[in-house]
Amino acid sequence: MTSDMILPFYQALTEDVNALSAQVPALATDTLQDIRRKALERFSAIGLPTLKTEAWRYTNIQRYLKEFPYELLSTASPVSEAVINSTAIPELDCYRIVLVNGHLQADQSTLPQGKGITVGAMSAHTTAPGFVTYFNEQHHLAAESLAQLNTALFADGLYLELAANTVLDKPIHVVNVYSCTAHAFIQPRHLWILNRNAAATIIETSVHPETATIAFANSVLETVVLENAELWHYNVQQGAESFREVHTTAAQQHKDSRYHHFNFTLPNTPFTRNNLSVALNGSHTETNLNGLYIASKHQHVDNHTFMDHIMPDCNSNELYKGVLLDNANGVFTGKILVHQEAQKTNAFQQNNNLLLGAKADINSQPQLEIYADDVKCSHGFTAGQFSEESMFYLRSRGIGEDAAKALMVNAFSHDITDAVKVPALQHFLQTQIAEIMNN
Amino acid sequence: MLTIKNLHAEVEGKKILKGINLEINKGEMHAIMGPNGSGKSSLASVLAGRDNYTVTEGEVWFNGKNLLDMAPEERAREGVFLAFQYPVEIPGVSNLNFLKTALNEIRAYKGLPALEAREFLKLTKEKQQLVDFHSNLMNRSLNEGFSGGEKKRNEIFQLAMLDPQLAILDETDSGLDIDALRIVSNGVNKLRDAEKSFVVITHYQRLLEYIIPDFVHVLYNGRIIKTGTKELALELEERGYDWLKEELHLKESV
């Protein structure tokens, strides 16, 4: 094979993934190059998921990978302030970090500064002690071939580390811009570390400004919440017709830490897969996983979550709610693994759905594996429609059918939106939900 | 204001209303009484547009417009209000937000601008007092965890806020203790004026001691079999419905 011959992306993925590694810039350290090589080997060994892959039974990712002739995109071109502002959250007092295809745009960002705060491009921090200790350390990533692909081919992302006792005074808003002039496969890679007693709130939004070219993001975020630290992480996926996304978050928690993860998937991205795993590496932790997905038209939204109770005396609460309109398709998997040592675990999981479209559907599967004998675990699933009596009550007061539906959807999602601790974000989400339902 | 002509309706193939005729003018208070299963609540439901009822015959005109052609929300915007026998609990919808939405939809229909937050709150405070509706209930979810009395007071409070021309009160007195009954009735009486009409559906004469009707109708087996004044209610209280049924059977067998 000659070096200037480039295989189409999907073909390369399935036939010669090594050809792709020549297309990404070399990483800074030998250790990293070694990690990359191993990930590539691992990806080649496990291959792309098929419908026979247990974790992908209801999501045919190959269909989406074949949909357009993607090219691997590892660089960023400048984007306008208008594009960035299109995803602004009104009244939100925050630091702003702008990433284009994973590359930090320092001149368009307002970075938090001060003692104990390290923030910047991943590529500039590959020798930082936090990076060396925690990068690619989360073992849940090894099982996920898309995460291996990311490790093998990523170019850059956001590195954030808060030193012990560092508490951010206001939220960070990370604006993920995915921009391309041809159909592109983009792989940002992030690592956030909160050391002992540190605390932060991070809100992510994303935008793909082009409508004629498709951006397919395969991003991986590792978060490390160390002893008694607390992280509030909100991921708001405001979609676009020309966007596709596989989003993998691998979190680890240490002793006495608190981790609150919120995932909001809104229309109109045709394909979204969120992998979320939390490994509890210490005792007395608290974990809240909240998800709200509102999907319309032919959207396919798959939330794949994994609560890994490794240590005793930990609490986890998981609540995912879905509103499926039109022909939308939802998938929820909630795995809870309670190891034999993890006595006194409390792990609760709930998945509730409103099926409003004539052809909407949901596949929901709780997977509880419990090897300890002194635990409290529960799971539940519902799928239903609006109560006719409630609809009639609202309409009998002069509220039109659409506005009544909007009220009901807001009501359905209120236990998720009420748990949002940032008022501006909460208001923003409620407004978004009302707007979606009014259209 | 409201004209009901030969109204027939059924639910799941079962005939419930079998030829109702009723004329209601501005400012009038009509009471509809009758034994269980006579069709009282069905009449209220048909007028408000509940969609499990099918109208098979007859007409209903409201201010010259065909009410039966309208969706429930249009009827409400035109000025018809139904106070529910069993108000629905809707967790997650705040009372305040619900009322604001309803009021502004009705205002928009009439070509009026949405109320400013300040005006809305002022109106809310004023109307709350009518039925002694506590402010702390306003921010709670709609009817969620309300006592029976609180739910009924909320119905009358909504009635006061939305200011309809025709209010249909479906057994608003059921489940109320005497104090709550007095509060609810006082609220209704304060809302009476020359422009507004009421249809009060009740089992019991007790309510009509507080809310004095201009007319009392007896509904039986899907039809109005007798119409009188408030004295008729007293007579029903004393003698029950059987004498009316007998009278009816005699008439029908002739």
Side-chain angles (χ1 to χ4, degrees):
Chain A
M1 195 201 304
T2 57
S3 62
D4 57 357
M5 202 175 111
I6 294 175
L7 284 169
F9 178 70
Y10 177 75
Q11 203 186 340
L13 281 185
T14 48
E15 289 170 18
D16 185 12
V17 72
N18 289 312
L20 290 171
S21 65
Q23 295 179 34
V24 290
L27 294 171
T29 66
D30 289 347
T31 320
L32 271 176
Q33 286 294 76
D34 194 43
I35 289 173
R36 172 178 274 184
R37 190 180 45 75
K38 281 185 182 143
L40 207 56
E41 278 168 15
R42 174 106 185 114
F43 176 79
S44 302
I46 53 184
L48 285 172
T50 69
L51 290 176
K52 288 190 180 132
T53 312
E54 179 57 30
W56 291 81
R57 270 174 67 191
Y58 298 105
T59 297
N60 183 356
I61 189 174
Q62 304 217 9
R63 185 189 133 196
Y64 294 102
L65 288 168
K66 277 190 277 196
E67 197 184 15
F68 292 94
Y70 294 110
E71 287 172 21
L72 198 58
L73 181 61
S74 305
T75 55
S77 39
V79 297
S80 71
E81 194 65 17
V83 165
I84 298 164
N85 280 332
S86 68
T87 175
I89 295 161
E91 311 282 317
L92 178 68
D93 182 20
C94 61
Y95 299 106
R96 185 175 85 172
I97 296 178
V98 177
L99 305 173
V100 177
N101 302 342
H103 297 275
L104 176 68
Q105 309 296 299
D107 52 341
Q108 287 173 306
S109 302
T110 322
L111 300 175
Q113 284 171 343
K115 198 169 158 278
I117 302 171
T118 308
V119 58
M122 282 272 270
S123 55
H125 291 87
T126 50
T127 54
F131 186 95
V132 173
T133 311
Y134 293 111
F135 177 75
N136 203 42
E137 197 258 351
Q138 185 45 263
H139 70 276
H140 289 154
L141 293 175
E144 186 51 62
S145 75
L146 272 294
Q148 292 303 307
L149 187 65
N150 177 290
T151 307
L153 299 173
F154 80 93
D156 214 338
L158 177 67
Y159 182 77
L160 172 74
E161 182 170 0
L162 298 184
N165 305 314
T166 307
V167 176
L168 283 185
D169 59 340
K170 51 186 181 181
I172 294 176
H173 179 189
V174 178
V175 181
N176 293 292
V177 183
Y178 300 99
S179 178
C180 52
T181 49
H183 304 319
F185 194 79
I186 301 164
Q187 304 199 89
R189 177 65 173 243
H190 318 289
L191 174 60
W192 305 344
I193 303 162
L194 272 66
N195 284 290
R196 195 164 46 84
N197 303 335
T201 296
I202 304 176
I203 300 163
E204 286 192 273
T205 59
S206 56
V207 56
H208 171 49
E210 295 88 7
T211 53
T213 52
I214 311 294
F216 193 131
N218 174 36
S219 56
V220 173
L221 161 67
E222 291 175 273
T223 61
V224 184
V225 188
L226 287 147
E227 188 181 338
N228 199 37
E230 180 159 13
L231 175 60
W232 288 80
H233 177 204
Y234 302 93
N235 184 29
V236 184
Q237 298 174 312
Q238 293 160 286
E241 291 278 1
S242 53
F243 189 53
R244 314 282 184 272
E245 182 168 29
V246 177
H247 189 282
T248 301
T249 302
Q252 54 171 293
Q253 284 186 252
H254 295 253
K255 201 176 142 203
D256 300 325
S257 64
R258 278 94 57 209
Y259 178 58
H260 316 272
H261 181 93
F262 288 74
N263 200 95
F264 296 92
T265 309
L266 307 175
N268 295 300
T269 300
F271 168 60
T272 306
R273 160 80 174 213
N274 295 314
N275 296 312
L276 171 62
S277 67
V278 183
L280 302 179
N281 296 335
S283 291
H284 300 285
T285 60
E286 187 189 324
T287 312
N288 290 300
L289 307 182
N290 293 294
L292 177 68
Y293 43 99
I294 303 180
S296 65
K297 292 181 240 176
H298 285 277
Q299 260 185 283
H300 182 91
V301 179
D302 180 351
N303 279 293
H304 196 86
T305 68
F306 179 15
M307 262 319 307
D308 196 2
H309 280 268
I310 300 162
M311 298 293 280
D313 300 301
C314 295
N315 292 327
S316 70
N317 251 303
E318 179 170 13
L319 176 61
Y320 269 69
K321 288 194 151 191
V323 179
L324 299 157
L325 310 161
D326 308 326
N327 300 318
N329 213 302
V331 181
F332 172 78
T333 306
K335 181 174 176 179
I336 299 176
L337 174 58
V338 182
H339 295 247
Q340 203 173 350
E341 298 73 24
Q343 298 293 0
K344 307 279 181 197
T345 288
N346 288 322
F348 305 111
Q349 179 192 100
Q350 187 73 31
N351 175 224
N352 304 116
N353 297 275
L354 270 179
L355 288 176
L356 301 183
K359 289 191 174 167
D361 70 16
I362 173 78
N363 284 297
S364 180
Q365 36 177 3
Q367 298 175 341
L368 273 61
E369 281 182 46
I370 300 166
Y371 299 100
D373 52 18
D374 184 14
V375 301
K376 282 185 195 145
C377 294
S378 72
H379 67 90
F381 162 75
T382 62
Q385 272 97 29
F386 288 135
S387 134
E388 275 182 35
E389 189 60 17
S390 301
M391 281 297 285
F392 177 62
Y393 190 69
L394 297 174
R395 293 175 71 191
S396 78
R397 299 298 182 251
I399 300 173
E401 213 172 338
D402 289 343
K405 281 182 185 166
L407 272 178
M408 294 289 286
V409 167
N410 252 322
F412 174 76
S413 40
H414 87 111
D415 33 9
I416 307 275
T417 49
D418 282 2
V420 170
K421 283 286 177 292
V422 182
L425 178 62
Q426 186 182 52
H427 185 253
F428 173 77
L429 289 164
Q430 285 165 343
T431 311
Q432 290 278 311
I433 295 166
E435 267 174 28
I436 291 163
M437 293 311 298
N438 284 329
N439 285 329
Chain B
M1 176 193 281
L2 183 78
T3 306
I4 304 175
K5 284 186 197 163
N6 192 31
L7 182 65
H8 288 68
E10 53 185 52
V11 61
E12 287 161 6
K14 189 170 177 249
K15 292 183 172 64
I16 306 283
L17 301 181
K18 302 170 182 172
I20 304 258
N21 291 291
L22 188 62
E23 181 80 38
I24 294 171
N25 297 308
K26 271 187 188 177
E28 291 176 351
M29 174 75 69
H30 290 248
I32 295 184
M33 302 186 72
N36 277 334
S38 58
K40 302 187 301 290
S41 287
S42 297
L43 176 61
S45 292
V46 169
L47 293 178
R50 195 188 285 272
D51 69 358
N52 50 344
Y53 286 86
T54 315
V55 173
T56 51
E57 216 181 315
E59 300 164 15
V60 180
W61 296 91
F62 183 67
N63 291 331
K65 291 180 183 165
N66 186 347
L67 195 71
L68 299 178
D69 274 354
M70 299 178 198
E73 59 269 31
E74 285 178 83
R75 301 180 194 206
R77 293 167 191 169
E78 286 286 341
V80 177
F81 180 94
L82 171 65
F84 279 53
Q85 183 178 359
Y86 304 109
V88 182
E89 296 192 11
I90 311 186
V93 173
S94 85
N95 240 320
L96 209 59
N97 192 20
F98 156 72
L99 262 180
K100 199 187 290 172
T101 309
L103 192 63
N104 284 334
E105 290 236 350
I106 291 172
R107 287 177 65 88
Y109 183 78
K110 292 176 177 164
L112 298 167
L115 273 189
E116 298 276 329
R118 187 187 300 245
E119 292 171 283
F120 175 76
L121 282 177
K122 195 176 152 228
L123 187 68
T124 308
K125 284 228 165 65
E126 180 191 322
K127 303 297 183 190
Q128 266 172 267
Q129 287 168 3
L130 269 182
V131 281
D132 198 15
F133 193 72
H134 293 292
S135 293
N136 59 10
L137 296 176
M138 286 303 297
N139 290 313
R140 297 233 320 248
S141 284
L142 185 50
N143 291 325
E144 194 189 26
F146 285 24
S147 71
E150 285 168 340
K151 284 181 184 168
K152 296 299 176 80
R153 275 188 280 167
N154 194 10
E155 294 295 287
I156 305 305
F157 167 58
Q158 290 172 30
L159 164 61
M161 288 292 291
L162 302 180
D163 192 28
Q165 278 191 55
L166 174 68
I168 303 161
L169 274 49
D170 188 7
E171 302 204 15
T172 298
D173 53 333
S174 67
L176 292 187
D177 62 36
I178 195 73
D179 292 330
L181 182 69
R182 199 175 289 134
I183 291 170
V184 163
S185 309
N186 282 341
V188 171
N189 285 331
K190 282 181 203 152
L191 292 170
R192 285 180 83 163
D193 63 35
E195 296 298 313
K196 210 185 250 68
S197 311
F198 289 84
V199 175
V200 178
I201 292 169
T202 181
H203 263 302
Y204 307 105
Q205 191 270 340
R206 188 180 71 148
L207 175 69
L208 305 180
E209 286 173 15
Y210 297 94
I211 299 174
I212 313 294
D214 301 305
F215 301 96
V216 174
H217 310 279
V218 178
L219 194 64
Y220 174 66
N221 196 18
R223 270 183 291 175
I224 290 173
I225 57 166
K226 189 154 188 96
T227 293
T229 54
K230 61 181 182 190
E231 285 74 23
L232 176 59
L234 285 170
E235 198 171 355
L236 289 170
E237 179 75 6
E238 226 161 81
R239 297 175 64 190
Y241 291 101
D242 287 349
W243 63 280
L244 276 176
K245 293 181 198 169
E246 276 162 32
E247 221 172 62
L248 181 73
H249 291 312
L250 284 177
K251 247 193 271 173
E252 281 183 345
S253 59
V254 172

